[in-house]
RNA sequence: GGAGAGGUGGCCGAGUGGUUGAAGGCGCACGCUUGGAAAGCGUGUGUGCCAGCAAUGGUACCGUGAGUUCGAAUCUCAUCCUCUCCGCCA
């Protein structure tokens, strides 16, 4: 959520921002309900004050009939006022929750993802002296992916990952954990990105729960679109769609000491997506699955460190891709594409020779205090002041998609796959799969 | 899944209908004391919302939600969580 006081003072800008992001919200109506609600709240507070006064006169066990009558009258008025207050509050809250976070100043304005801006391209697209195949074809030859049996067992968009591909996945996981838990590496990444001021505090690896309650999912503002989420029928639980969902909500209702920040996690989790509305899209191989494993960064910082943290996350993403020698593009997402709770969003697209295209493999999201306001995740500053923390999340690697990139960029004509040098120590020194 | 116990402030812990935001202790902050420290003494020490420049005032919050009552941390119901025993289980 935004700060209602901010909305009161910047109604026009908030309305404009919602328009730019493609969300239909009527700020005037929101503020009208805000006024009604405050008025009723005031009335309710005054009635309660009276009630407390009357009640205190009866303490000591001498309630007179007059006082009881007065109390009853107050109770009646209060019941009426509070019924109206509840109604106003519900109307207000419904509108309030729809207001998207303010986009940062440098986010390009655009109404569709076509208006995203290519920020930079790193590395040349891989060239071959033969016609490169896509990962599905290579995987079929090498018996790395079995989707037919997965379909029998679980349906479409599931797969059995097999053999060396499994070893590759575990190798990548180790490589990432080693990278982001090492201070020297983080310092080098920060320096290269020109982020002198940023903390180099290492990430703490986390294996989170994969299910999340409705209340917290909604507070994270990642429950929608519900069509894309798996709901457990007999419980108030959803399968998480990204480790960010269960990492960001982890510290709801908590107050950090300033010295604890930044708090950085690298989570490893299987993510679940229904992929509603994507029938027939990306059906080959494992590009778009109902279930995929992902390494995700999440952090909590003070307000003034939030943007630097976001930029560090992007720098880490670039470092990981560059270290594997994969060609990629950095996309600055426009207002329509960054998402409701986001202030800023960056995508990274990796070159996939099998598709002859760059495809999205990473996202970095900066939410400012939009999520933490509902989650009530705060920090006590050294001054003693309480402030909302800023949250950031970003993909380290989506394992399925990054393995596609490794296979397709590293293939030879026979179907062998070169293992990036940085990963070789994690695969017993092998250079080829 | 069955039986039972419990959820109170940063922590421990009292409180079963009426000046209770909540005793007491610990911790923490500031001050006094001391050559310095400890001990001791004193004062202070939650969060949200509304009003106010502020001081401050009002209100709400004792897991969560609903209810009973003139009045609820205290009574009723539902629900979540924790713990113990039994059962089941990787």
């Amino acid at each position: 959520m935004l700060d209602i006081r901010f909305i009161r003072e910047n109604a026009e800008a908030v309305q404009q921002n919602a328009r730019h992001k493609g969300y239909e919200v009527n700020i005037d109506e929101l503020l009208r309900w805000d006024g009604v609600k405050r008025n009723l709240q005031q009335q309710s507070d005054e009635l309660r004050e009276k009630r407390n006064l009357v009640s205190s006169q009866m303490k000591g066990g001498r309630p007179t009939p007059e006082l009881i009558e007065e109390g009853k009258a107050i109770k009646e008025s209060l019941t009426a006022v509070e019924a109206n207050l509840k109604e106003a509050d519900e109307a207000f809250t419904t509108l309030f929750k729809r207001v998207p976070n303010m986009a940062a100043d440098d986010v390009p304005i655009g109404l569709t993802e076509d208006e995203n801006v290519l920020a930079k391209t790193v590395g040349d697209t891989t060239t071959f002296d033969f016609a490169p195949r896509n990962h599905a074809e290579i995987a079929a030859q090498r018996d790395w992916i079995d989707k037919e049996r997965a379909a029998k067992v679980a349906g479409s968009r599931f797969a059995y990952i097999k053999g060396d591909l499994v070893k590759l996945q575990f190798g990548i996981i180790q490589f990432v954990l080693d990278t982001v838990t090492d201070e020297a590496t983080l310092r080098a990444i920060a320096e290269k990105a020109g982020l002198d001021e940023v903390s180099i505090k290492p990430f703490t690896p986390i294996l989170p729960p994969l299910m999340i309650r409705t209340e917290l999912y909604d507070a994270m503002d990642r429950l929608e679109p519900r069509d894309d989420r798996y709901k457990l029928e007999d419980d108030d639980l959803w399968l998480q769609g990204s480790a960010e969902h269960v990492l960001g909500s982890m510290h709801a209702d908590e107050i950090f000491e300033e010295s604890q920040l930044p708090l950085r996690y690298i989570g490893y989790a299987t993510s679940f997506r229904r992929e509603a509305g994507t029938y027939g899209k990306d059906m080959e191989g494992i590009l778009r699955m109902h279930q995929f494993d992902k390494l995700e960064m999440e952090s909590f910082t003070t307000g003034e460190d939030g943007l630097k943290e976001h930029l560090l996350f992007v720098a880490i993403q670039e470092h990981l891709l560059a270290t594997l020698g994969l060609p990629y593009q950095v996309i600055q997402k426009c207002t329509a594409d960054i998402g409701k709770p986001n202030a800023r969003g960056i995508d990274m697209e990796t070159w996939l020779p099998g598709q002859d295209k760059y495809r999205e493999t990473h996202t970095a999201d900066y939410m400012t205090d939009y999520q933490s306001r509902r989650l009530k995740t705060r920090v006590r500053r050294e001054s003693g002041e309480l402030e909302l923390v800023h949250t950031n999340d970003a993909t380290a690697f989506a394992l399925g998609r990054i393995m596609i990139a490794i296979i397709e960029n590293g293939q030879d004509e026979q179907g062998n796959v070169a293992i990036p040098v940085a990963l070789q120590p994690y695969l017993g020194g092998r250079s080829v799969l």
Side-chain angles (χ1 to χ4, degrees), chain A residues 82-247:
Chain A
E82 291 196 329
N84 290 336
L85 177 59
K86 192 181 173 198
E87 204 176 299
D89 187 55
E90 277 166 7
F92 168 79
T93 303
T94 304
L95 289 173
F96 191 27
K97 279 161 70 172
R98 278 192 214 148
V99 182
N101 197 5
M102 300 297 286
D105 291 341
D106 68 342
V107 174
I109 294 168
L111 292 177
T112 71
E113 63 175 18
D114 297 335
E115 290 166 87
N116 290 343
V117 171
L118 176 60
K120 69 168 161 176
T121 302
V122 176
D124 297 324
T125 54
T126 315
T127 52
F128 300 90
D129 50 14
F130 57 94
R133 293 182 288 166
N134 73 28
H135 76 282
E137 294 169 286
I138 297 163
Q141 179 197 328
R142 303 294 306 274
D143 192 23
W144 282 340
I145 295 171
D146 183 346
K147 289 177 72 182
E148 283 174 25
R149 291 193 176 88
K152 174 173 69 184
V153 171
S156 70
R157 295 204 191 282
F158 287 96
Y160 287 93
I161 309 289
K162 299 169 68 180
D164 277 347
L165 210 50
V166 175
K167 291 189 179 181
L168 177 62
Q169 167 154 333
F170 281 98
I172 295 169
I173 294 166
Q174 280 304 324
F175 162 68
V176 170
L177 293 183
D178 283 357
T179 300
V180 301
T181 57
D182 183 58
E183 267 189 27
T185 305
L186 291 177
R187 182 181 293 114
I189 292 170
E191 271 171 19
K192 193 180 168 203
L195 298 166
D196 313 325
E197 302 282 296
V198 81
S199 159
I200 51 156
K201 188 170 166 185
F203 289 70
T204 301
I206 300 269
L207 292 172
L210 303 183
M211 297 180 199
I212 178 168
R213 294 175 197 278
T214 304
E215 189 190 346
L216 280 161
Y217 217 161
D218 193 38
M220 281 293 289
D221 221 290
R222 298 291 190 196
L223 183 53
E224 306 294 342
R226 294 186 189 215
D227 284 356
D228 201 35
R229 304 285 174 234
Y230 284 102
K231 174 80 173 75
L232 274 72
E233 199 180 1
D234 294 333
D235 299 274
D236 179 33
L237 288 170
W238 304 74
L239 291 176
Q240 56 106 357
S242 166
E244 172 232 324
H245 305 158
V246 280
L247 294 173

Side-chain angles (χ1 to χ4, degrees), chain A residues 117-122 314 318 328-332 346-349:
Chain A
V117 171
L118 176 60
K120 69 168 161 176
T121 302
V122 176
V314 172
E318 289 202 55
Y328 64 92
Q329 291 184 338
V330 180
I331 309 289
Q332 173 145 30
I346 298 291
D347 273 355
M348 233 143 281
E349 298 181 344

